[in-house]
Amino acid sequence: MAEENEIIIKLESLTKRYGYGDAASYALKDFDLTVKRGEFIMIMGPSGCGKTTLLNIIGLLDAPTSGVYLLNNEPASRISARRQARLRSKKIGFIFQNFNLIPDLPIIENVALPLVYSGYHKTRRLIRASEVLDRFNLKEKEYYMPFQLSGGQQQRAAIARAIVSGPEIILADEPTGNLDSHSSSLVMEELKRIHSEGNTIIMVTHNPTLTKYATRVINMLDGAIDTDIKTVKDSDLPVPVASRKKKPQKSLKKQKKSKNKKKKGKK
Amino acid sequence: MSLLLKTHYELAKSSLRQNRTRSFLTCLGIGIGVASIILILSLMGSISSLISSQVSQMGSDLIVVRPSSTRSTVDSVVNELTSSTQYLKSNLTLKDVSLIEKLNNVSSVAPLAVSVNSLQGDDFVPSATIVGTNANFLKIQNLTLKSGTFLREDAKTNTAVIGAGLANDLYGTDEPIGKSLTLLGSRFIIVGVLSKVDDPINFNNLDLDSSLFVSAKVLNQIDNSLQIQQINVRATNTDGIEDTVNLIRETLIASKAGDTNFSVLYGEEITHPAGTLFSIISGTLAIVAGVSLIVGGIGVMNIMLVSVSERTHEIGVRKAVGASFSNIFLQFLFEALILTLTGGFFGLALAYVLAFLISLVTPFAPYISWEILAVSFLTSFADGLIFGLYPAIKAAKKNPISSLKFWG
Ligand SMILES: Nc1ncnc2c1ncn2[C@@H]1O[C@H](COP(=O)(O)OP(=O)(O)O)[C@@H](O)[C@H]1O
Ligand SMILES: [Mg+2]
């Protein structure tokens, strides 16, 4: 058996509380989760169950009220604000439901934005952004403004922005929520490709048909995990492109039989 | 680090370009503030260089004795220039003049006893400046006569020399030689007319063109309240002038039994008190202009606050993709600095356009110095720093999650 990918994210009884006393409400309650490199996790669950809160905490945009978040074995609470920002620009890529492109900047500068904060020269930023846009078949649109693009194109540009600095973790909050089914499948193909290159993706969705792309599906309810199903063995997760030379390439065939229920299964 | 600064500069520039009109108006506010300060400094520099050029025109061998030894406080300067009591305070006498005349390295000495009196010539002039002096005055002042002769020590009668302007007022002509006038009941004959002099600011604080010059000795006999406000001395040799100054000072102290209530000045010191007064006036005006700079700065702060709240969503996006506190802080601070520095630059240009226009109708030429350039740079820089600080902190402190929800 091949050695397994390392643990990239570990959450231990993570809690996010809003308000105090009688008015206290929990967006996350004693949430435990272990994510290995190369996983493609889809998180589902009713509105208000804490999915966005979870992604914000994993993405270092928000801090838990209590509990431990280990990012690459390092407690996030001990990472300075400055280094958290640098990690967001280099190691974490965000994709949002409403794209969140800056309307005043052309597409290429939007895509290059994370590179601004990881210390690239302007020309290198634009060259890199242009390469990535090329991959997403948006090269001829690079100097368009966001409003000149369709929703699907904007979301692909936003995905380009999320991966431009080669992050380890992609966090996508309902990335297809505002898209028609054709654009949705284009976006999902992009995510699938990014995943096959060894990236870790955590994606929130309401669309059950998209779970076929995932290696693991988590259902949340009231700030906690309801069901957690792995559809791909840990040993079959893709490895990062950079380290492939060391390891033999794994087949990406999905091992649907190895369902692995954690916590109480509702079915 | 320099890369980071360059990046912030680019970011700030592009966001300013998106709001051209607003940026322009804000710059204008700063520009006007800087322009008024620079204009005042330029005028001030121009006036003081005018004064010192007049001193150097008078020559480096000139020494001036004035009553009152206090010279450095604002009060004393204002007193000297505004109050008539200084005439009564003077402790200089005609005896001092003859004492100085005898000293080593002194070539000539002229007293200056100024009073204001009515004159009756062909016409009546209710108040004219009467200067009591001696024959040396013409030479010491480097003045020339339009016609006639100057006062002579050996004159048998009461003679007077008249400025061209005053001659016109008294006789309707600038050739009144031989005509007579009455001053304090005594009759004087006009023996000479001064050439027109066009220097409104001079170290005597006198408008020579509209003055009457008579012998100080004669004036002393008919006006017993006469006081000597100044004694002008020419040294023979410029090299030993400091020694001469000290010698005059010691001689006068000795003759006045220790009274040190006078000052002996040479070179730049002579421009005082006119120079000091201009500094005071300019300083006051500069403070007023500084207020307009503060108003401009508040304009910058206002615009920056609007900009920060309009771009809340953008700040959220930038933070989500990796902008740190200092990244956002610097981006907005640079915006404020670019606004004020651009405003300062245009203010500088505006000031010199105005200074040039002023120079067309006044003797004050535009005056440029490194100090003035530095002041305009530093004031606009400080303006941006002070008034950009709060909006920049406010922007940098924004919570990324709630910022992303802002119209998101
Ligand atoms: N800033 C906040 N203040 C108070 N309650 C909040 C705040 N943000 C989120 N919540 C609450 O936390 C819960 C989880 O929100 P969220 O993570 O956005 O859910 P989801 O993304 O699953 O729809 C919700 O009940 C929501 O009302
Ligand atoms: Mg949500």
Side-chain angles (χ1 to χ4, degrees):
Chain A
M1 186 173 151
E3 67 181 290
E4 291 189 355
N5 286 356
E6 74 269 31
I7 291 169
I8 190 165
I9 292 166
K10 195 168 170 67
L11 308 178
E12 287 166 2
S13 64
L14 205 73
T15 296
K16 180 72 180 180
R17 188 191 66 218
Y18 289 106
Y20 296 93
D22 289 347
S25 70
Y26 292 86
L28 292 174
K29 201 164 187 181
D30 294 327
F31 196 95
D32 295 311
L33 181 68
T34 302
V35 180
K36 288 186 173 166
R37 189 181 297 282
E39 283 195 279
F40 189 160
I41 300 177
M42 292 227 182
I43 297 177
M44 306 190 52
S47 184
C49 71
K51 305 180 296 292
T52 298
T53 306
L54 177 67
L55 286 197
N56 286 339
I57 289 175
I58 292 175
L60 300 171
L61 283 179
D62 206 352
T65 314
S66 65
V68 178
Y69 167 21
L70 296 172
L71 175 62
N72 283 321
N73 291 319
E74 189 181 5
S77 57
R78 293 226 207 102
I79 304 175
S80 71
R82 172 180 280 271
R83 205 153 76 76
Q84 287 194 358
R86 209 176 307 139
L87 286 171
R88 283 201 299 274
S89 77
K90 289 183 172 167
K91 306 273 183 188
I92 297 167
F94 265 104
I95 303 167
F96 304 92
Q97 179 174 1
N98 53 17
F99 326 135
N100 278 338
L101 298 172
I102 295 177
D104 299 325
L105 296 180
I107 291 300
I108 188 165
E109 288 191 31
N110 265 292
V111 170
L113 211 53
L115 303 176
V116 168
Y117 302 110
S118 42
Y120 282 80
H121 276 283
K122 183 159 190 178
T123 40
R124 291 214 27 219
R125 292 203 299 264
L126 297 184
I127 289 170
R128 171 82 184 123
S130 188
E131 283 168 12
V132 177
L133 280 170
D134 198 16
R135 262 184 60 180
F136 286 79
N137 292 321
L138 284 170
K139 185 150 168 82
E140 68 280 12
K141 300 273 161 87
E142 59 185 24
Y143 284 100
Y144 282 46
M145 299 307 275
F147 71 89
Q148 293 171 300
L149 269 58
S150 72
Q153 288 169 331
Q154 288 191 45
Q155 191 60 301
R156 271 153 55 217
I159 297 173
R161 178 180 65 189
I163 66 154
V164 74
S165 53
E168 293 173 353
I169 303 165
I170 315 279
L171 302 169
D173 196 350
E174 301 186 42
T176 61
N178 284 0
L179 301 179
D180 58 50
S181 61
H182 174 68
S183 302
S184 288
S185 56
L186 278 178
V187 161
M188 288 316 297
E189 287 305 320
E190 300 293 0
L191 288 176
K192 182 179 160 188
R193 193 174 65 188
I194 294 163
H195 172 241
S196 71
E197 288 163 1
N199 290 297
T200 311
I201 302 180
I202 303 176
M203 172 175 154
V204 169
T205 185
H206 283 302
N207 186 346
T209 63
L210 300 182
T211 54
K212 64 177 185 234
Y213 293 95
T215 66
R216 183 176 179 187
V217 179
I218 293 173
N219 263 289
M220 279 178 67
L221 192 63
D222 296 338
I225 290 180
D226 184 23
T227 62
D228 181 350
I229 301 164
K230 288 192 179 178
T231 56
V232 172
K233 269 199 294 188
D234 284 353
S235 56
D236 289 338
L237 292 173
V239 293
V241 178
S243 51
R244 269 189 197 170
K245 281 153 208 154
K246 290 174 233 158
K247 291 183 179 184
Q249 186 153 356
K250 300 270 159 71
S251 120
L252 287 178
K253 259 183 250 158
K254 296 190 174 92
Q255 310 248 327
K256 297 222 162 145
K257 293 291 156 203
S258 67
K259 282 188 183 176
N260 163 354
K261 287 195 180 184
K262 272 190 186 173
K263 300 228 162 172
K264 45 166 185 169
K266 259 198 161 181
K267 272 181 199 166
Chain B
M1 190 60 196
S2 70
L3 168 66
L4 204 64
L5 293 181
K6 193 160 163 274
T7 303
H8 289 305
Y9 170 73
E10 287 161 3
L11 286 178
K13 215 173 55 180
S14 75
S15 78
L16 289 174
R17 221 180 278 132
Q18 285 153 24
N19 290 304
R20 271 170 214 277
T21 314
R22 188 202 282 173
S23 306
F24 170 75
L25 290 175
T26 313
C27 280
L28 195 65
I30 295 293
I32 290 170
V34 171
S36 38
I37 286 191
I38 297 310
L39 190 60
I40 287 160
L41 291 179
S42 166
L43 278 179
M44 182 177 154
S46 160
I47 288 169
S48 64
S49 74
L50 207 64
I51 291 171
S52 40
S53 83
Q54 235 134 25
V55 172
S56 68
Q57 224 177 329
M58 295 317 299
S60 53
D61 53 352
L62 183 73
I63 300 170
V64 161
V65 184
R66 290 196 181 119
S68 159
S69 62
T70 50
R71 313 187 283 114
S72 50
T73 68
V74 173
D75 272 0
S76 73
V77 171
V78 173
N79 260 339
E80 266 176 60
L81 281 150
T82 56
S83 94
S84 56
T85 58
Q86 71 148 318
Y87 294 154
L88 305 177
K89 278 195 307 199
S90 175
N91 55 357
L92 300 178
T93 62
L94 287 174
K95 189 181 141 219
D96 297 334
V97 176
S98 44
L99 275 176
I100 296 170
E101 259 170 345
K102 284 179 207 126
L103 294 176
N104 204 12
N105 198 28
V106 167
S107 120
S108 51
V109 183
L112 219 66
V114 183
S115 61
V116 174
N117 267 305
S118 62
L119 289 178
Q120 178 66 58
D122 287 357
D123 288 316
F124 180 74
V125 172
S127 69
T129 306
I130 317 296
V131 180
T133 183
N134 65 17
N136 294 328
F137 184 75
L138 194 72
K139 200 171 68 191
I140 290 182
Q141 298 293 121
N142 291 334
L143 295 175
T144 52
L145 286 174
K146 190 169 174 296
S147 53
T149 58
F150 199 68
L151 305 173
R152 297 162 68 117
E153 293 300 316
D154 56 359
K156 301 271 185 306
T157 54
N158 290 349
T159 55
V161 172
I162 193 165
L166 182 60
N168 265 317
D169 290 347
L170 271 177
Y171 304 104
T173 166
D174 52 7
E175 287 293 346
I177 290 177
K179 301 208 177 206
S180 66
L181 58 78
T182 310
L183 164 65
L184 292 167
S186 301
R187 230 171 76 93
F188 289 79
I189 305 290
I190 308 286
V191 295
V193 183
L194 279 188
S195 296
K196 192 150 171 51
V197 272
D198 191 17
D199 47 341
I201 303 157
N202 58 60
F203 70 92
N204 296 314
N205 300 321
L206 277 180
D207 182 2
L208 298 174
D209 204 38
S210 43
S211 298
L212 183 77
F213 304 88
V214 297
S215 159
K217 280 176 192 153
V218 175
L219 201 57
N220 199 26
Q221 285 157 16
I222 59 176
D223 178 4
N224 46 21
S225 70
L226 188 76
Q227 297 290 327
I228 294 175
Q229 282 92 46
Q230 184 165 308
I231 300 172
N232 295 348
V233 182
R234 282 266 179 221
T236 320
N237 194 337
T238 314
D239 292 342
I241 195 152
E242 253 175 89
D243 295 335
T244 313
V245 166
N246 288 332
L247 188 60
I248 293 172
R249 189 173 291 135
E250 283 155 21
T251 309
L252 292 186
I253 291 173
S255 87
K256 291 173 192 303
D259 180 2
T260 58
N261 203 21
F262 64 89
S263 41
V264 187
L265 314 167
Y266 73 103
E268 291 277 315
E269 296 175 320
I270 298 174
T271 61
H272 161 89
T276 316
L277 180 77
F278 283 121
S279 305
I280 293 166
I281 292 173
S282 314
T284 314
L285 287 174
I287 289 170
V288 173
V291 171
S292 72
L293 213 56
I294 290 176
V295 173
I298 291 172
V300 169
M301 181 144 99
N302 190 27
I303 284 309
M304 290 311 297
L305 286 173
V306 170
S307 171
V308 167
S309 86
E310 271 184 1
R311 285 152 67 196
T312 300
H313 181 254
E314 175 189 328
I315 294 167
V317 173
R318 287 183 183 277
K319 286 201 156 184
V321 303
S324 64
F325 180 94
S326 60
N327 291 143
I328 301 291
F329 173 79
L330 286 176
Q331 178 187 344
F332 282 90
L333 191 66
F334 268 51
E335 252 184 74
L337 285 176
I338 291 174
L339 280 177
T340 57
L341 287 175
T342 314
F345 179 77
F346 285 119
L348 192 65
L350 179 66
Y352 280 108
V353 169
L354 291 176
F356 172 74
L357 292 178
I358 288 173
S359 75
L360 296 179
V361 291
T362 66
F364 309 128
Y367 179 84
I368 301 184
S369 72
W370 282 114
E371 288 90 337
I372 289 182
L373 296 181
V375 163
S376 62
F377 174 78
L378 287 177
T379 47
S380 34
F381 188 81
D383 228 24
L385 208 59
I386 293 167
F387 292 99
L389 203 62
Y390 172 64
I393 289 175
K394 199 173 159 163
K397 269 186 162 170
K398 278 195 186 290
N399 175 288
I401 296 168
S402 44
S403 299
L404 281 171
K405 284 182 195 151
F406 193 84
W407 76 248

